[in-house]
Amino acid sequence: SGASFPAKWIKIHDTAKDGTERFDCNRAARDAGATPFKRPENGTFLPDGKFRTFVFATTGDTNNLSGSVPGLAQRGAWGALFEISMEPGRKNGTLSMIALGDSTHNSFDNVSWGDSNTILTTEDRGDTLHTQLDTLDSVWAYPLNALTSPLRVLALGRDESAEGEEDNEPTGIFVSNGLNQYGTPANMTGARGFVTKQHGDNTIYELHHN
């Protein structure tokens, strides 16, 4: 709801000390005083070369039962985009929700910067939510100056090769200027972007950046 909270990084698992066995990461986060999220999927730094602004996506519940409850929807049941703004030294900062999902824009999965002013995110609704909302997955662009008015970049249909399922999830969205995804120029002039459609014909799309 626009609130921001003080944040710091907390280590919850050290492979060198704790080993490689499976563990309950939500429980480990709570035990360490860290904050677990509902299906955090992917994150990316603002391409300004400073590595102090980090945006990540949470998928939320791929079922409309919780999203239909207003109080749960306000807490990210449909998914959300969060931003961590770090102070110099990158140990402390603030955390805020910058885009809240709804029944039209939800189940955020992969995220990338299209340029320094636009966040791109894919959906992974899953077949349950596809059926409940009668809607397949899309890729959305969230301009920083209009976060409440995202633009649909790609809307997927259903491939026959999905073998009776509806899931043609867009995934792996990635934008680079050919030198370094996070380097200068900050506006990513000349960048190229790609996104893959999986679980069907596995089409790869290219996003052209002028």
Side-chain angles (χ1 to χ4, degrees):
S1 60
S4 61
F5 303 89
K8 64 179 180 180
W9 295 110
I10 294 178
K11 184 184 294 185
I12 64 170
H13 188 273
D14 184 342
T15 302
K17 183 178 69 174
D18 302 322
T20 59
E21 294 298 320
R22 296 179 62 179
F23 67 100
D24 185 334
C25 54
N26 274 338
R27 178 61 183 270
R30 292 187 179 94
D31 290 345
T35 302
F37 289 86
K38 184 65 176 180
R39 284 188 63 185
E41 289 281 353
N42 190 220
T44 184
F45 283 97
L46 175 69
D48 62 358
K50 297 180 180 179
F51 295 93
R52 287 171 51 187
T53 301
F54 185 75
V55 171
F56 66 95
T58 58
T59 303
D61 294 313
T62 50
N63 188 308
N64 70 355
L65 295 180
S66 56
S68 299
V69 179
L72 298 180
Q74 188 66 22
R75 290 172 171 83
W78 292 113
L81 298 176
F82 289 87
E83 178 182 284
I84 300 174
S85 297
M86 288 171 277
E87 300 171 358
R90 305 180 186 90
K91 292 184 178 180
N92 299 284
T94 58
L95 171 71
S96 56
M97 180 191 294
I98 60 173
L100 180 65
D102 54 32
S103 59
T104 302
H105 325 83
N106 55 71
S107 309
F108 305 132
D109 195 65
N110 293 167
V111 62
S112 180
W113 289 88
D115 57 32
S116 56
N117 296 304
T118 310
I119 302 167
L120 302 174
T121 186
T122 66
E123 293 182 329
D124 182 13
R125 296 169 181 248
D127 281 352
T128 297
L129 206 54
H130 290 161
T131 300
Q132 291 171 334
L133 300 180
D134 192 26
T135 304
L136 300 179
D137 296 332
S138 292
V139 178
W140 298 96
Y142 278 81
L144 292 186
N145 61 356
L147 286 167
T148 58
S149 301
L151 307 173
R152 182 181 274 115
V153 176
L154 175 67
L156 296 185
R158 179 187 174 276
D159 292 336
E160 290 298 325
S161 58
E163 298 181 355
E165 296 182 356
E166 301 167 351
D167 194 355
N168 285 333
E169 174 196 347
T171 189
I173 191 165
F174 184 81
V175 178
S176 172
N177 63 7
L179 299 174
N180 188 318
Q181 185 188 14
Y182 309 116
T184 55
N187 62 8
M188 299 290 279
T189 298
R192 298 174 69 186
F194 299 89
V195 62
T196 300
K197 178 175 67 172
Q198 65 175 357
H199 305 312
D201 292 346
N202 294 321
T203 306
I204 298 176
Y205 297 94
E206 180 176 359
L207 308 173
H208 290 272
H209 190 296
N210 296 320

